[in-house]
Amino acid sequence: MIAITSHNTTDERIAEIVHWIEKHGVSAHVSKGEDRTVIGIIGKADPVMAEQLRQMSGISEVIKISKSYKLASREFHPADTVISIKGVEIGGQDLVVMGGPCAVESPEQIDEIARLVKAAGGQVLRGGAFKPRTGPYSFQGVGVEGLEMMAEAGRKHGLLTITEVMTPEYVDICAEHADILQVGTRNMQNFDLLRKLGTIQTPVLLKRGFSATYDEFLNAAEYILAGGNPNVMLCERGIRTFETYTRNTLDLAAIPVLKQLSHLPIISDPSHGTGRRELVEPMCKASVAAGADGLIVEMHTDPDNSMTGDGVQSLFPDQFANLLLDLEKLAPLCGKTFSTKKEPVLAGSWKK
Amino acid sequence: MIAITSHNTTDERIAEIVHWIEKHGVSAHVSKGEDRTVIGIIGKADPVMAEQLRQMSGISEVIKISKSYKLASREFHPADTVISIKGVEIGGQDLVVMGGPCAVESPEQIDEIARLVKAAGGQVLRGGAFKPRTGPYSFQGVGVEGLEMMAEAGRKHGLLTITEVMTPEYVDICAEHADILQVGTRNMQNFDLLRKLGTIQTPVLLKRGFSATYDEFLNAAEYILAGGNPNVMLCERGIRTFETYTRNTLDLAAIPVLKQLSHLPIISDPSHGTGRRELVEPMCKASVAAGADGLIVEMHTDPDNSMTGDGVQSLFPDQFANLLLDLEKLAPLCGKTFSTKKEPVLAGSWKK
Amino acid sequence: MIAITSHNTTDERIAEIVHWIEKHGVSAHVSKGEDRTVIGIIGKADPVMAEQLRQMSGISEVIKISKSYKLASREFHPADTVISIKGVEIGGQDLVVMGGPCAVESPEQIDEIARLVKAAGGQVLRGGAFKPRTGPYSFQGVGVEGLEMMAEAGRKHGLLTITEVMTPEYVDICAEHADILQVGTRNMQNFDLLRKLGTIQTPVLLKRGFSATYDEFLNAAEYILAGGNPNVMLCERGIRTFETYTRNTLDLAAIPVLKQLSHLPIISDPSHGTGRRELVEPMCKASVAAGADGLIVEMHTDPDNSMTGDGVQSLFPDQFANLLLDLEKLAPLCGKTFSTKKEPVLAGSWKK
Amino acid sequence: MIAITSHNTTDERIAEIVHWIEKHGVSAHVSKGEDRTVIGIIGKADPVMAEQLRQMSGISEVIKISKSYKLASREFHPADTVISIKGVEIGGQDLVVMGGPCAVESPEQIDEIARLVKAAGGQVLRGGAFKPRTGPYSFQGVGVEGLEMMAEAGRKHGLLTITEVMTPEYVDICAEHADILQVGTRNMQNFDLLRKLGTIQTPVLLKRGFSATYDEFLNAAEYILAGGNPNVMLCERGIRTFETYTRNTLDLAAIPVLKQLSHLPIISDPSHGTGRRELVEPMCKASVAAGADGLIVEMHTDPDNSMTGDGVQSLFPDQFANLLLDLEKLAPLCGKTFSTKKEPVLAGSWKK
C-alpha cells in the first residue's frame, strides 16, 4: 500500500501519519519527492487501514498494491479451476454450451427445447423459473413448478440444468432441482444472496453486474468462495454504456482479462450482451476466439410468442444447431474441444 | 404503443401482424410511409404485448407511449406526495436535512452525533447498522444492536431516524427501530426486498441504482407502491460514468426531471454522489437550488477513524452546522423553508 | 512519479530498471513490499519517461504524482484568473450571463435578441455563425456574414459577443468580429485549433469534450496557455452517460472540482447540458449555487422556427428575463454579484 | 417521421401542428391514442423539419424513421464496398492486416519494421508522422520527414502505407506520401477535415470517436462520401466506459452491426481498443471471428524505448508473426482468406 501526501503537507504532519501507521504494526518507508512525499506501507495491512488513511488530512491518494480479493485471484491459485458436474467439466478442455429459453413456460415447451439442445450438441439446459423484471406488472416466471419441469426435461434428455436464484430463501429449493445456480446481473452485489451461496457446494454462475468493474466482479465471487463454495464460474453478459443500439455492450476483453486475474471459468452470454438475435452468432464465435470456456445462449421454439419478450434475442433451433456446428470447427483453433452429431436441425422440425 | 416495420416488410406480413394485434382485443391503425409502415396500437394493451411485438419478424422497433409505471407517475397522481412522520413533512414546504455517520459504531458515538445534528437544525439522524460492502473482508456493520443505539439516540434528541435495510428478512426488525428505511443503490432492483417493503407502511427512501435510468428508478418505486405502501421518497446519489475523479457523478438534473415525471419527494445525497468532503457543501447548495425536497449528508465527529472508510466524504460537525446556516438563507429563494438556531457549532466543541 | 513492479519481477530486473532510470539523470528510491516493489523517481522527470517505464517488462503500473498540466493548475497559479474585456470581468466578483440563439439567422433576429439579452441584464451575446453538425445535410450556419451581424448587434446594444470557431483558418476572422471565441465540445482535442488560439490574445471559452475527463480538459486548456494566451475560461456543458432522457448529464461537481484544480473561470451551459427547456432554469440556479462564474444560455424569440433545431432547449425571452431576476437574488448567497433593471420582460413583447 | 403529442395537447393545437406540417408539402396522418396522439409525416421531409417539430409546444417526441445518413447505408447501397489499392482489396475476400509502430521514429526503425510486417504476411504498414497528444508537452511526431521515411519503407518492402492526418491543410501532403489516410478518434467529428477528405479519392480509414454512437459514426462517414470520395473504411477502436482496467472497451458487436447498417469495410484496432499487449492477440482473433475485414495492430522492434509510450500495447515482431500464423487458420472459418509464408519470426532476429 502506498500513501501519497498532498501538495502542502508539512513535515510535522508526515511524522504524525508515519507514527499512526507504525502504531498499527506495519512499517512506513518515506520517499520525499519534489512536491509530494510517498509513504510505502510494508507489512500485512488491515484493509480498513487503507480506507482510514485515505481520509486523513495531508493525504491525497492511497493506492492498494495487493488486491482486495484473494481466493478468486490467480496469484493465490495459479491453476485453472475446473468444475466437474456429472461428467461435464467446465473450465477444462471442453467448450460448454448452455442453451434454452429465457423462461420455462410449460412442460411441453421445456421438453421440446431440451430435446433440441441435446440434438445440437449442447451440454446444459438453461431456463428461468423466477424472473427479475424491471417493472412489477411484467411476467415474473412460473415459480417452483418451473423448477420441476426443467429438472424433468434435463433428466430425460441427459442435460445438466441451470436456473436463476433471486433471493436467499429460494437457494435451497433451487439447488435441489438444478445443477447450476445463476446469480443475475442485478443481484451481483446482493451480498446476502452471495453469502448464502457460499454455504452450499452447488456450482454458481455469477453474472457480472451491468456496471461492475472487474475488481467488483471478482470481489463478488470472493463472497461465495470465502463462504466455502469453490465452484464459481464468471459470466460476462454485457455492460451498460452510452450506446443504445445494442441492449448492452458485450465486453469481450473481459474474457482474457479475467483469465489473467483469476482461475475461475468464464462463460459468455451474447444473448443478453447484445439483445439482438442477428448478433448472437458472430458474438458467440468471437467469445470462443477470445478464450471463453463456455457460452450461454437463448434458444426458443416460438420466439414470437415467448412470455418474457426476450424472444427478440433468442435463436431459432436451426440457428442454434448451425452455430454449434460452426463452433465444433472453431474450438480446436482456440485451445478447446467440442463435438456435435454433425447433423443440422432442420427448420420447422420442432413443435412450437 | 407504436410498432414500426422493417425496411422490407411485405404487405402480407403487415396484414399478419395487424391480425395478431387485433386478436388481442386492441385496434391497429396503419400509416404507410415511404419505406416503412407505422402501426399505431389503440386501446389498453397488455405490457407483454409490446415485448412480443418487438421480437416479431418484420418489426424493427416498438415505442411505448404510455409509461410502464403508473402509481409513481405524476400523470396518474398530479399532486405532490407529502410524507408526514411525527410532525416532520417530507415533500412539502420544509427542506428536510438528514445527517449522521456512515455506520453506527457505539452508543456514545451515535449519541454525540445526534446531539450535533439536532443542534445544527437537522430533522433526521442517519446511520447504518448493516453495511453493504464490495468485498467480504470489509467491516459489515454492528447489526441489530446498532438499530437500538440509533433509535435511542433519535428518541433522546428528538430526531427521526433512517437506516438501510439490505434483505427482506430484516425489514420487520428495521421497521421496528427506525422511522425511515433506506434501500441502497445496489439493491434498487432487489425485487424481493422491494415487494416486502410494499407490504408495510413505514416510509422508504429508495436510492437510485448507480446505473439506473429514470425509467428503471421509477419502476423500482412502482414495486413498492404497487404493494400498497405509498410512502416512498426517491434519492439521487450519483451515477457511474467514465469520470473517476469523483466517486460518482451526481446527476442534479434528475431532481427537476423526477419532479416532472413523478409526485414523490426527492432527496439528494452529495456525500456518496461525490465521495469527497470538499464537494459536499457546494453540491448540497446546488441540490437545493435544483429543487430537492431534502438532503442526506454524512457527518462524523472523528472521520479519520471512521470504521467504514467513508470518513473521506463526511463533514466535520462545524462544517455541517455552517452548511445548514447557509441553507437557511438559500431555501426561501428555492421555494422552501428551513430554520436553524442561528448558532454555529464551534470546531472542537464535540467529543470524538 | 512512482513505478510499481509486477508480482514476479526479479531483483535483477529491478536493478536493470533502476539503472535505466538513473541513466536519465533522476534518482530512484526502492521500497520492497511483501510481493511488489515500489520505485520512487525523484527529480525532474521527462514526461516521455513515464510512458516508457509503463511499457517495460517487470513494471505493472506507473503513477504520475505531478500533474501533466502546469500553467492551468492552481498549484502553479494560486490566484483566480480574472479576464477583463471592455469593462466586464469574468472570473471575478460579477456573475456573467451570456445569452442568445444557437445560430445567427438574420440581422433582425440577432438585433432583437441582443436587445432582449441587454434588457434582462445579460452582459454577453452568444450566437453561432459556423455550426458543427452531426450530419452533412443539416444547416451549417450562415458563415462570415453571421459574424458581422452579431458584431453589429453587440455594438448597438452594448454587449460583448461570443461565437464558435471550428477550424484554425477561421480564427483570425472570428477574432476580428467577436470578443470571445468558443471552442465546441467536439473540438476540445482539435490540437491544431488549440495551438492557433494560443497565438492570439482573444479570450477563449473552451467547452469540455462530452467524454473528457477533468485531466484531459485541463490539458486541452494547457495547449492554449502554453502557446501564450492566458485568457481561457472553462465551460462545463454536460457529459455523455447511459442516461438518454436528457441530452447530456450536466456534471455540476465539475465546477468546484475545476475551481480547486485550476485558477481559470468556470462557465456552465445548462442548455446543452440538459437539452430540455424546462430544465434550464433549475440547472442555471444549481450552477450558480455550485460556484460557477457565469452561465451561457440559449434564448430565442421564435424557438418553434429556429433553424438548427436547438429551439427545444432555448428559453423564451420572458423566461430568460425571469431567470435573471432570480439570479440577482441568488448570486449574493453564492459569493457573487449580479444586477438587472428589476423589470420583467413581458411575454409577447418582442418581434419574432 | 412520427411526432407524438404531449399528454395534454388539445385538439386545436394538434390541428395547428397538422396545418404547419402540410404547409411544408408533406402529408400528416393522425392516430388518436388513449392519452396521446401520433402524427405520421408521410413524404420527403426536410431534415430541419424534424428538429423544428421536436421543439414545438404540444409535441413530446419526434422519431425519425429514415436514417439521417444515406450514402453510407446498406439500404441505399446493398453490395459490400471493396476498396482496391495497388492489388490489395479491402472489404473483399482477403483479410487485411496493417502493422507497424505508433510513431515513425527514424528511417532505420521504419525500414526494419516494414521488413518484419512483410515477412509475417501483413499487407499494410502503419506509422504516425503527426501524433495527436493529450498534453502539449508530449512528443508530437517527426512531421513531414516521417511521411517520406514511411513511403520509402513501404515501396522497398512492397507494402501499402497508412498514416494519420490531423488537419485539413496537411491532407494533400499526406495523400502524396501514403496510400491510406487515417482520421483519429478525436477527429471523427472534425467536420472541416472530413469535408476536405471528401474532395480527394485517397482511401480513408475513419476511426470511431471514443464516445460516438453508431449513428454518429456513420454520419461522419457520410461527410466524406457526400463530398465525393467513396473510399471509406470504418475502424472500431474501443469506446470509453466506466471500466478503466483496459484503456478502452473494444466494442466487437460494432462489427456485425456496422456490416448490417452499412456496406463499408470494417477494420478492428485491438491495440488502442485494449491498451495492453497481452490482450491484443485474443482480441484480434475475436475481431476476425466477429466478421472484421481487417486489423490494424501496433508492432515495434523495441517497445521499451518507443517515443510515444504506446509500446505498452505494441506486439514484439515474433508475437506479431505468430498471430498472423494463427489468423491464417482462423480466417477460412470466418469467410475470409489470408496467407503467410508459414514461417515464424524468431525472437531476437531483428535490429532494435
PDB file of all heavy atoms in Angstrom, chain A residues 55 133 137 140 195 211 216 222-223 240 303 309, chain B residues 55 133 137 140 195 211 216 222-223 240 303:
ATOM      1  N   GLN A  55      -8.656   9.055   4.191  1.00  0.00           N
ATOM      2  CA  GLN A  55      -9.436  10.194   4.646  1.00  0.00           C
ATOM      3  C   GLN A  55      -8.692  11.090   5.629  1.00  0.00           C
ATOM      4  O   GLN A  55      -9.249  12.042   6.150  1.00  0.00           O
ATOM      5  CB  GLN A  55     -10.757   9.706   5.230  1.00  0.00           C
ATOM      6  CG  GLN A  55     -10.603   8.841   6.440  1.00  0.00           C
ATOM      7  CD  GLN A  55     -11.766   7.879   6.571  1.00  0.00           C
ATOM      8  OE1 GLN A  55     -12.439   7.558   5.606  1.00  0.00           O
ATOM      9  NE2 GLN A  55     -12.025   7.420   7.765  1.00  0.00           N
ATOM     10  N   ARG A 133     -37.687  -8.689 -13.136  1.00  0.00           N
ATOM     11  CA  ARG A 133     -38.256  -7.818 -14.161  1.00  0.00           C
ATOM     12  C   ARG A 133     -38.239  -6.366 -13.707  1.00  0.00           C
ATOM     13  O   ARG A 133     -38.581  -6.074 -12.556  1.00  0.00           O
ATOM     14  CB  ARG A 133     -39.707  -8.225 -14.470  1.00  0.00           C
ATOM     15  CG  ARG A 133     -39.866  -9.695 -14.875  1.00  0.00           C
ATOM     16  CD  ARG A 133     -38.937 -10.128 -16.014  1.00  0.00           C
ATOM     17  NE  ARG A 133     -39.117  -9.360 -17.214  1.00  0.00           N
ATOM     18  CZ  ARG A 133     -40.012  -9.643 -18.156  1.00  0.00           C
ATOM     19  NH1 ARG A 133     -40.781 -10.703 -18.040  1.00  0.00           N
ATOM     20  NH2 ARG A 133     -40.110  -8.880 -19.231  1.00  0.00           N
ATOM     21  N   TYR A 137     -45.398  -5.126 -13.249  1.00  0.00           N
ATOM     22  CA  TYR A 137     -46.537  -5.672 -13.971  1.00  0.00           C
ATOM     23  C   TYR A 137     -46.115  -6.643 -15.067  1.00  0.00           C
ATOM     24  O   TYR A 137     -46.946  -7.143 -15.810  1.00  0.00           O
ATOM     25  CB  TYR A 137     -47.386  -4.538 -14.553  1.00  0.00           C
ATOM     26  CG  TYR A 137     -47.697  -3.471 -13.525  1.00  0.00           C
ATOM     27  CD1 TYR A 137     -47.387  -2.129 -13.758  1.00  0.00           C
ATOM     28  CD2 TYR A 137     -48.265  -3.820 -12.294  1.00  0.00           C
ATOM     29  CE1 TYR A 137     -47.650  -1.165 -12.801  1.00  0.00           C
ATOM     30  CE2 TYR A 137     -48.521  -2.852 -11.328  1.00  0.00           C
ATOM     31  CZ  TYR A 137     -48.213  -1.522 -11.586  1.00  0.00           C
ATOM     32  OH  TYR A 137     -48.460  -0.574 -10.635  1.00  0.00           O
ATOM     33  N   GLN A 140     -43.527 -12.634 -14.177  1.00  0.00           N
ATOM     34  CA  GLN A 140     -42.472 -12.840 -13.178  1.00  0.00           C
ATOM     35  C   GLN A 140     -41.985 -14.291 -13.104  1.00  0.00           C
ATOM     36  O   GLN A 140     -41.260 -14.654 -12.173  1.00  0.00           O
ATOM     37  CB  GLN A 140     -42.965 -12.387 -11.794  1.00  0.00           C
ATOM     38  CG  GLN A 140     -43.603 -10.995 -11.753  1.00  0.00           C
ATOM     39  CD  GLN A 140     -42.614  -9.857 -11.499  1.00  0.00           C
ATOM     40  OE1 GLN A 140     -41.569 -10.069 -10.881  1.00  0.00           O
ATOM     41  NE2 GLN A 140     -42.907  -8.669 -11.993  1.00  0.00           N
ATOM     42  N   ARG A 195     -23.659 -14.630   0.207  1.00  0.00           N
ATOM     43  CA  ARG A 195     -23.244 -15.334   1.432  1.00  0.00           C
ATOM     44  C   ARG A 195     -23.938 -16.681   1.547  1.00  0.00           C
ATOM     45  O   ARG A 195     -23.321 -17.688   1.887  1.00  0.00           O
ATOM     46  CB  ARG A 195     -23.576 -14.481   2.660  1.00  0.00           C
ATOM     47  CG  ARG A 195     -22.490 -13.491   2.994  1.00  0.00           C
ATOM     48  CD  ARG A 195     -22.695 -12.896   4.398  1.00  0.00           C
ATOM     49  NE  ARG A 195     -22.163 -11.536   4.387  1.00  0.00           N
ATOM     50  CZ  ARG A 195     -22.908 -10.447   4.201  1.00  0.00           C
ATOM     51  NH1 ARG A 195     -24.218 -10.521   4.056  1.00  0.00           N
ATOM     52  NH2 ARG A 195     -22.318  -9.257   4.186  1.00  0.00           N
ATOM     53  N   SER A 211     -22.911  -2.757 -14.539  1.00  0.00           N
ATOM     54  CA  SER A 211     -21.988  -1.636 -14.336  1.00  0.00           C
ATOM     55  C   SER A 211     -20.875  -1.986 -13.382  1.00  0.00           C
ATOM     56  O   SER A 211     -20.320  -1.102 -12.741  1.00  0.00           O
ATOM     57  CB  SER A 211     -22.738  -0.430 -13.793  1.00  0.00           C
ATOM     58  OG  SER A 211     -23.506   0.145 -14.808  1.00  0.00           O
ATOM     59  N   GLU A 216     -14.807  -5.259  -8.812  1.00  0.00           N
ATOM     60  CA  GLU A 216     -16.042  -5.518  -8.064  1.00  0.00           C
ATOM     61  C   GLU A 216     -16.591  -6.910  -8.368  1.00  0.00           C
ATOM     62  O   GLU A 216     -17.140  -7.585  -7.492  1.00  0.00           O
ATOM     63  CB  GLU A 216     -17.100  -4.467  -8.429  1.00  0.00           C
ATOM     64  CG  GLU A 216     -16.781  -3.094  -7.889  1.00  0.00           C
ATOM     65  CD  GLU A 216     -17.618  -1.986  -8.533  1.00  0.00           C
ATOM     66  OE1 GLU A 216     -18.212  -2.211  -9.609  1.00  0.00           O
ATOM     67  OE2 GLU A 216     -17.656  -0.882  -7.962  1.00  0.00           O
ATOM     68  N   GLU A 222     -15.577 -13.483  -4.592  1.00  0.00           N
ATOM     69  CA  GLU A 222     -14.873 -13.746  -3.329  1.00  0.00           C
ATOM     70  C   GLU A 222     -15.857 -14.009  -2.176  1.00  0.00           C
ATOM     71  O   GLU A 222     -15.577 -14.810  -1.295  1.00  0.00           O
ATOM     72  CB  GLU A 222     -13.971 -12.543  -2.999  1.00  0.00           C
ATOM     73  CG  GLU A 222     -13.030 -12.746  -1.837  1.00  0.00           C
ATOM     74  CD  GLU A 222     -11.744 -13.509  -2.210  1.00  0.00           C
ATOM     75  OE1 GLU A 222     -11.546 -13.810  -3.398  1.00  0.00           O
ATOM     76  OE2 GLU A 222     -10.962 -13.812  -1.293  1.00  0.00           O
ATOM     77  N   TYR A 223     -16.997 -13.311  -2.179  1.00  0.00           N
ATOM     78  CA  TYR A 223     -18.009 -13.567  -1.136  1.00  0.00           C
ATOM     79  C   TYR A 223     -18.404 -15.050  -1.115  1.00  0.00           C
ATOM     80  O   TYR A 223     -18.523 -15.661  -0.064  1.00  0.00           O
ATOM     81  CB  TYR A 223     -19.271 -12.735  -1.383  1.00  0.00           C
ATOM     82  CG  TYR A 223     -19.332 -11.413  -0.652  1.00  0.00           C
ATOM     83  CD1 TYR A 223     -18.860 -10.248  -1.235  1.00  0.00           C
ATOM     84  CD2 TYR A 223     -19.891 -11.330   0.630  1.00  0.00           C
ATOM     85  CE1 TYR A 223     -18.939  -9.024  -0.576  1.00  0.00           C
ATOM     86  CE2 TYR A 223     -19.976 -10.110   1.296  1.00  0.00           C
ATOM     87  CZ  TYR A 223     -19.498  -8.955   0.695  1.00  0.00           C
ATOM     88  OH  TYR A 223     -19.576  -7.766   1.355  1.00  0.00           O
ATOM     89  N   ARG A 240     -23.307  -1.650 -19.381  1.00  0.00           N
ATOM     90  CA  ARG A 240     -24.113  -0.512 -19.820  1.00  0.00           C
ATOM     91  C   ARG A 240     -23.189   0.624 -20.249  1.00  0.00           C
ATOM     92  O   ARG A 240     -22.326   1.051 -19.489  1.00  0.00           O
ATOM     93  CB  ARG A 240     -25.002  -0.059 -18.662  1.00  0.00           C
ATOM     94  CG  ARG A 240     -25.882   1.103 -19.024  1.00  0.00           C
ATOM     95  CD  ARG A 240     -27.032   1.268 -18.069  1.00  0.00           C
ATOM     96  NE  ARG A 240     -28.130   0.384 -18.413  1.00  0.00           N
ATOM     97  CZ  ARG A 240     -29.312   0.368 -17.785  1.00  0.00           C
ATOM     98  NH1 ARG A 240     -29.531   1.196 -16.780  1.00  0.00           N
ATOM     99  NH2 ARG A 240     -30.261  -0.462 -18.164  1.00  0.00           N
ATOM    100  N   PRO A 303     -40.165 -17.948 -30.691  1.00  0.00           N
ATOM    101  CA  PRO A 303     -39.779 -16.673 -30.065  1.00  0.00           C
ATOM    102  C   PRO A 303     -40.847 -15.581 -30.206  1.00  0.00           C
ATOM    103  O   PRO A 303     -40.966 -14.741 -29.309  1.00  0.00           O
ATOM    104  CB  PRO A 303     -38.482 -16.275 -30.780  1.00  0.00           C
ATOM    105  CG  PRO A 303     -38.192 -17.302 -31.798  1.00  0.00           C
ATOM    106  CD  PRO A 303     -39.155 -18.426 -31.654  1.00  0.00           C
ATOM    107  N   GLY A 309     -40.730 -11.658 -23.600  1.00  0.00           N
ATOM    108  CA  GLY A 309     -40.332 -10.622 -24.535  1.00  0.00           C
ATOM    109  C   GLY A 309     -38.862 -10.697 -24.866  1.00  0.00           C
ATOM    110  O   GLY A 309     -38.341  -9.858 -25.588  1.00  0.00           O
TER     111      GLY A 309
ATOM    112  N   GLN B  55     -40.302  -8.580 -30.928  1.00  0.00           N
ATOM    113  CA  GLN B  55     -39.491  -9.680 -31.408  1.00  0.00           C
ATOM    114  C   GLN B  55     -40.069 -10.371 -32.637  1.00  0.00           C
ATOM    115  O   GLN B  55     -39.538 -11.380 -33.098  1.00  0.00           O
ATOM    116  CB  GLN B  55     -39.278 -10.679 -30.272  1.00  0.00           C
ATOM    117  CG  GLN B  55     -40.535 -11.328 -29.781  1.00  0.00           C
ATOM    118  CD  GLN B  55     -40.396 -11.722 -28.326  1.00  0.00           C
ATOM    119  OE1 GLN B  55     -39.568 -11.196 -27.592  1.00  0.00           O
ATOM    120  NE2 GLN B  55     -41.180 -12.654 -27.881  1.00  0.00           N
ATOM    121  N   ARG B 133     -20.970  -4.006   1.506  1.00  0.00           N
ATOM    122  CA  ARG B 133     -19.556  -3.734   1.199  1.00  0.00           C
ATOM    123  C   ARG B 133     -19.104  -4.540  -0.015  1.00  0.00           C
ATOM    124  O   ARG B 133     -19.401  -5.731  -0.112  1.00  0.00           O
ATOM    125  CB  ARG B 133     -18.680  -4.079   2.404  1.00  0.00           C
ATOM    126  CG  ARG B 133     -19.073  -3.379   3.707  1.00  0.00           C
ATOM    127  CD  ARG B 133     -19.207  -1.855   3.567  1.00  0.00           C
ATOM    128  NE  ARG B 133     -17.989  -1.231   3.131  1.00  0.00           N
ATOM    129  CZ  ARG B 133     -17.002  -0.844   3.949  1.00  0.00           C
ATOM    130  NH1 ARG B 133     -17.129  -0.981   5.242  1.00  0.00           N
ATOM    131  NH2 ARG B 133     -15.921  -0.289   3.455  1.00  0.00           N
ATOM    132  N   TYR B 137     -14.256  -8.931   3.189  1.00  0.00           N
ATOM    133  CA  TYR B 137     -13.394  -8.759   4.350  1.00  0.00           C
ATOM    134  C   TYR B 137     -13.505  -7.369   4.966  1.00  0.00           C
ATOM    135  O   TYR B 137     -12.800  -7.046   5.916  1.00  0.00           O
ATOM    136  CB  TYR B 137     -11.936  -9.072   3.977  1.00  0.00           C
ATOM    137  CG  TYR B 137     -11.793 -10.379   3.226  1.00  0.00           C
ATOM    138  CD1 TYR B 137     -11.160 -10.421   1.987  1.00  0.00           C
ATOM    139  CD2 TYR B 137     -12.327 -11.562   3.747  1.00  0.00           C
ATOM    140  CE1 TYR B 137     -11.051 -11.612   1.282  1.00  0.00           C
ATOM    141  CE2 TYR B 137     -12.229 -12.759   3.042  1.00  0.00           C
ATOM    142  CZ  TYR B 137     -11.590 -12.777   1.815  1.00  0.00           C
ATOM    143  OH  TYR B 137     -11.493 -13.949   1.114  1.00  0.00           O
ATOM    144  N   GLN B 140     -18.686  -4.925   8.202  1.00  0.00           N
ATOM    145  CA  GLN B 140     -20.049  -5.127   7.688  1.00  0.00           C
ATOM    146  C   GLN B 140     -21.145  -4.502   8.560  1.00  0.00           C
ATOM    147  O   GLN B 140     -22.336  -4.779   8.363  1.00  0.00           O
ATOM    148  CB  GLN B 140     -20.321  -6.628   7.509  1.00  0.00           C
ATOM    149  CG  GLN B 140     -19.237  -7.398   6.739  1.00  0.00           C
ATOM    150  CD  GLN B 140     -19.436  -7.449   5.222  1.00  0.00           C
ATOM    151  OE1 GLN B 140     -20.558  -7.350   4.739  1.00  0.00           O
ATOM    152  NE2 GLN B 140     -18.352  -7.559   4.466  1.00  0.00           N
ATOM    153  N   ARG B 195     -40.660  -5.801  -2.878  1.00  0.00           N
ATOM    154  CA  ARG B 195     -42.004  -6.355  -2.641  1.00  0.00           C
ATOM    155  C   ARG B 195     -42.314  -6.389  -1.158  1.00  0.00           C
ATOM    156  O   ARG B 195     -43.418  -6.043  -0.739  1.00  0.00           O
ATOM    157  CB  ARG B 195     -42.082  -7.769  -3.216  1.00  0.00           C
ATOM    158  CG  ARG B 195     -42.413  -7.786  -4.689  1.00  0.00           C
ATOM    159  CD  ARG B 195     -42.823  -9.209  -5.129  1.00  0.00           C
ATOM    160  NE  ARG B 195     -42.464  -9.353  -6.542  1.00  0.00           N
ATOM    161  CZ  ARG B 195     -41.335  -9.896  -6.982  1.00  0.00           C
ATOM    162  NH1 ARG B 195     -40.453 -10.420  -6.140  1.00  0.00           N
ATOM    163  NH2 ARG B 195     -41.092  -9.938  -8.266  1.00  0.00           N
ATOM    164  N   SER B 211     -26.386   2.818 -11.897  1.00  0.00           N
ATOM    165  CA  SER B 211     -26.505   2.786 -13.357  1.00  0.00           C
ATOM    166  C   SER B 211     -27.949   2.702 -13.804  1.00  0.00           C
ATOM    167  O   SER B 211     -28.225   2.199 -14.884  1.00  0.00           O
ATOM    168  CB  SER B 211     -25.747   1.601 -13.929  1.00  0.00           C
ATOM    169  OG  SER B 211     -24.362   1.856 -13.891  1.00  0.00           O
ATOM    170  N   GLU B 216     -36.120   3.099 -15.052  1.00  0.00           N
ATOM    171  CA  GLU B 216     -35.915   1.951 -14.165  1.00  0.00           C
ATOM    172  C   GLU B 216     -36.107   2.338 -12.699  1.00  0.00           C
ATOM    173  O   GLU B 216     -36.607   1.560 -11.895  1.00  0.00           O
ATOM    174  CB  GLU B 216     -34.502   1.390 -14.360  1.00  0.00           C
ATOM    175  CG  GLU B 216     -34.309   0.696 -15.700  1.00  0.00           C
ATOM    176  CD  GLU B 216     -32.856   0.424 -16.051  1.00  0.00           C
ATOM    177  OE1 GLU B 216     -31.955   1.066 -15.439  1.00  0.00           O
ATOM    178  OE2 GLU B 216     -32.603  -0.394 -16.944  1.00  0.00           O
ATOM    179  N   GLU B 222     -42.314   1.815  -8.256  1.00  0.00           N
ATOM    180  CA  GLU B 222     -43.634   1.241  -8.546  1.00  0.00           C
ATOM    181  C   GLU B 222     -43.839  -0.099  -7.836  1.00  0.00           C
ATOM    182  O   GLU B 222     -44.952  -0.419  -7.413  1.00  0.00           O
ATOM    183  CB  GLU B 222     -43.774   1.068 -10.065  1.00  0.00           C
ATOM    184  CG  GLU B 222     -45.161   0.690 -10.535  1.00  0.00           C
ATOM    185  CD  GLU B 222     -46.124   1.873 -10.648  1.00  0.00           C
ATOM    186  OE1 GLU B 222     -45.701   3.033 -10.438  1.00  0.00           O
ATOM    187  OE2 GLU B 222     -47.321   1.632 -10.927  1.00  0.00           O
ATOM    188  N   TYR B 223     -42.769  -0.900  -7.708  1.00  0.00           N
ATOM    189  CA  TYR B 223     -42.882  -2.163  -6.979  1.00  0.00           C
ATOM    190  C   TYR B 223     -43.392  -1.924  -5.554  1.00  0.00           C
ATOM    191  O   TYR B 223     -44.246  -2.649  -5.055  1.00  0.00           O
ATOM    192  CB  TYR B 223     -41.512  -2.862  -6.889  1.00  0.00           C
ATOM    193  CG  TYR B 223     -41.227  -3.892  -7.966  1.00  0.00           C
ATOM    194  CD1 TYR B 223     -40.581  -3.537  -9.145  1.00  0.00           C
ATOM    195  CD2 TYR B 223     -41.581  -5.232  -7.798  1.00  0.00           C
ATOM    196  CE1 TYR B 223     -40.296  -4.479 -10.132  1.00  0.00           C
ATOM    197  CE2 TYR B 223     -41.290  -6.191  -8.779  1.00  0.00           C
ATOM    198  CZ  TYR B 223     -40.654  -5.806  -9.937  1.00  0.00           C
ATOM    199  OH  TYR B 223     -40.375  -6.750 -10.906  1.00  0.00           O
ATOM    200  N   ARG B 240     -22.713   6.171 -12.219  1.00  0.00           N
ATOM    201  CA  ARG B 240     -21.366   5.765 -12.629  1.00  0.00           C
ATOM    202  C   ARG B 240     -21.120   6.244 -14.057  1.00  0.00           C
ATOM    203  O   ARG B 240     -21.884   5.941 -14.958  1.00  0.00           O
ATOM    204  CB  ARG B 240     -21.257   4.251 -12.555  1.00  0.00           C
ATOM    205  CG  ARG B 240     -19.897   3.739 -12.958  1.00  0.00           C
ATOM    206  CD  ARG B 240     -19.652   2.330 -12.475  1.00  0.00           C
ATOM    207  NE  ARG B 240     -19.219   2.327 -11.093  1.00  0.00           N
ATOM    208  CZ  ARG B 240     -18.838   1.225 -10.439  1.00  0.00           C
ATOM    209  NH1 ARG B 240     -18.858   0.056 -11.025  1.00  0.00           N
ATOM    210  NH2 ARG B 240     -18.447   1.299  -9.177  1.00  0.00           N
ATOM    211  N   PRO B 303     -13.815  11.676  11.623  1.00  0.00           N
ATOM    212  CA  PRO B 303     -13.763  10.973  10.325  1.00  0.00           C
ATOM    213  C   PRO B 303     -12.466  10.222  10.090  1.00  0.00           C
ATOM    214  O   PRO B 303     -12.478   9.181   9.427  1.00  0.00           O
ATOM    215  CB  PRO B 303     -13.964  12.082   9.292  1.00  0.00           C
ATOM    216  CG  PRO B 303     -14.060  13.363  10.000  1.00  0.00           C
ATOM    217  CD  PRO B 303     -14.118  13.103  11.467  1.00  0.00           C
TER     218      PRO B 303
END
